[in-house]
């Protein structure tokens, strides 16, 4: 009976440790930020620790928010200009009404697209890829991964704009195109001649 109890307790402990490690691995943590958990104050603290410059904006009107405004941290985003992160152009932290990090975006040097793609492929479970998309269009190349309840998407929005988005699955659609726009009007028109009808 004692031996059976010891075996049973061993299984329970192994199960609990497995669950705890699965829980701790459930969220992606880009640069130490955790989607759905990092508070506004914690996020700004991380930025200040690194001596990164930042400015806060309203999500809807994209207006700058003063540092003394009562609106700070509620339905806003913070644009961060990081120091000493070669190849990273900017970071964006998006906060919900509870002042918790809803999404996190890293804007990177476009030449790093393939390197970041390979890195994310080795780290997260792939969901979908469309690498043959058209840049400067609404169907730009992208790759999507998941980690627990978080989506990670690498987007090649244009020749000069590549970004990685970390976002909770439930609000993914709200952020996928945020700060992006349709570049259709900027795409070069192909020249066409009448004689092409004869080809």
């Amino acid at each position: 009976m004692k031996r059976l109890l010891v075996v049973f307790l061993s299984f329970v402990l192994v199960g609990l440790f497995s669950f705890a490690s699965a829980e701790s691995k459930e969220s992606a943590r880009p640069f130490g930020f955790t989607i759905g958990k990092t508070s506004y104050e914690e996020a700004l603290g991380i930025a200040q620790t690194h001596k990164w410059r930042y400015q806060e904006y309203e999500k809807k009107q994209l207006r700058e928010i003063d540092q003394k405004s009562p609106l700070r941290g509620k339905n806003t985003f913070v644009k961060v200009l990081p120091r000493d992160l070669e190849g990273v152009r900017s970071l964006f932290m998006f906060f919900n009404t509870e002042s918790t990090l809803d999404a996190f975006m890293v804007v990177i040097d476009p030449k790093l697209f393939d390197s970041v793609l390979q890195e994310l492929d080795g780290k997260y479970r792939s969901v979908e890829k469309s690498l043959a998309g058209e840049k400067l269009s609404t169907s730009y190349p992208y790759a999507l991964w998941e980690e627990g309840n978080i989506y990670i998407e690498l987007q090649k929005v244009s020749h000069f704009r590549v970004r990685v988005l970390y976002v909770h699955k439930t609000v993914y659609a709200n952020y996928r195109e945020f700060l992006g726009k349709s570049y259709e009007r900027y795409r070069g028109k192909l020249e066409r001649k009448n004689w092409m009808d004869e080809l």
Side-chain angles (χ1 to χ4, degrees), residues 136-191:
L136 294 178
S137 77
T138 52
S139 61
Y140 50 77
Y142 70 93
L144 182 67
W145 298 269
E146 67 179 353
E147 174 77 3
N149 57 4
I150 305 299
Y151 274 146
I152 301 102
E153 185 173 66
L154 175 63
Q155 307 171 334
K156 194 171 208 172
V157 180
S158 72
H159 295 290
F160 51 87
R161 188 162 172 81
V162 172
R163 58 196 197 175
V164 184
L165 173 67
Y166 296 81
V167 63
H168 198 281
K169 290 178 180 179
T170 57
V171 292
Y172 167 68
N174 298 351
Y175 288 98
R176 186 172 194 267
E177 303 295 332
F178 197 86
L179 296 178
K181 53 180 126 178
S182 173
Y183 290 91
E184 295 288 346
R185 61 188 166 159
Y186 301 111
R187 298 182 74 200
K189 300 287 184 204
L190 298 176
E191 189 175 354

Side-chain angles (χ1 to χ4, degrees):
M1 181 74 168
K2 227 178 196 181
R3 180 180 280 172
L4 185 61
L5 184 61
V6 168
V7 170
F8 174 74
L9 286 175
S10 298
F11 278 119
V12 168
L13 287 174
V14 167
L16 285 173
F17 284 125
S18 299
F19 178 76
S21 68
E23 278 291 304
S24 65
K25 292 170 116 184
E26 188 171 290
S27 280
R29 292 181 44 84
F31 300 101
F33 298 92
T34 306
I35 309 303
K37 294 184 181 175
T38 300
S39 71
Y40 175 75
E41 290 79 18
E42 290 168 336
L44 291 188
I46 292 171
Q48 289 164 355
T49 299
H50 290 289
K51 297 182 179 171
W52 292 340
R53 290 185 338 207
Y54 58 87
Q55 178 59 53
E56 191 167 356
Y57 300 87
E58 290 179 20
K59 278 187 198 171
K60 289 187 179 175
Q61 303 296 323
L62 305 181
R63 285 191 299 238
E64 284 188 23
I65 294 180
D66 185 75
Q67 289 193 348
K68 295 177 182 176
S69 170
L71 300 174
R72 291 177 66 229
K74 296 183 189 300
N75 264 338
T76 64
F77 70 93
V78 175
K79 180 181 181 180
V80 180
L81 299 174
R83 299 168 46 146
D84 304 325
L85 290 178
E86 188 180 348
V88 175
R89 294 184 171 176
S90 57
L91 305 172
F92 289 87
M93 304 182 291
F94 301 90
F95 299 96
N96 58 27
T97 52
E98 286 81 38
S99 298
T100 304
L101 193 65
D102 234 4
F104 187 83
M105 186 183 293
V106 185
V107 179
I108 62 172
D109 189 322
K111 68 182 177 193
L112 296 175
F113 182 86
D114 292 328
S115 300
V116 171
L117 177 68
Q118 185 177 12
E119 187 71 25
L120 294 174
D121 255 343
K123 203 167 185 183
Y124 304 113
R125 192 180 82 74
S126 181
V127 174
E128 184 179 359
K129 283 185 184 155
S130 177
L131 301 179
E134 295 180 75
K135 293 179 285 294
L136 294 178
S137 77
T138 52
S139 61
Y140 50 77
Y142 70 93
L144 182 67
W145 298 269
E146 67 179 353
E147 174 77 3
N149 57 4
I150 305 299
Y151 274 146
I152 301 102
E153 185 173 66
L154 175 63
Q155 307 171 334
K156 194 171 208 172
V157 180
S158 72
H159 295 290
F160 51 87
R161 188 162 172 81
V162 172
R163 58 196 197 175
V164 184
L165 173 67
Y166 296 81
V167 63
H168 198 281
K169 290 178 180 179
T170 57
V171 292
Y172 167 68
N174 298 351
Y175 288 98
R176 186 172 194 267
E177 303 295 332
F178 197 86
L179 296 178
K181 53 180 126 178
S182 173
Y183 290 91
E184 295 288 346
R185 61 188 166 159
Y186 301 111
R187 298 182 74 200
K189 300 287 184 204
L190 298 176
E191 189 175 354
R192 191 174 191 293
K193 302 293 185 190
N194 289 336
W195 56 261
M196 291 180 182
D197 290 335
E198 302 299 325
L199 295 176

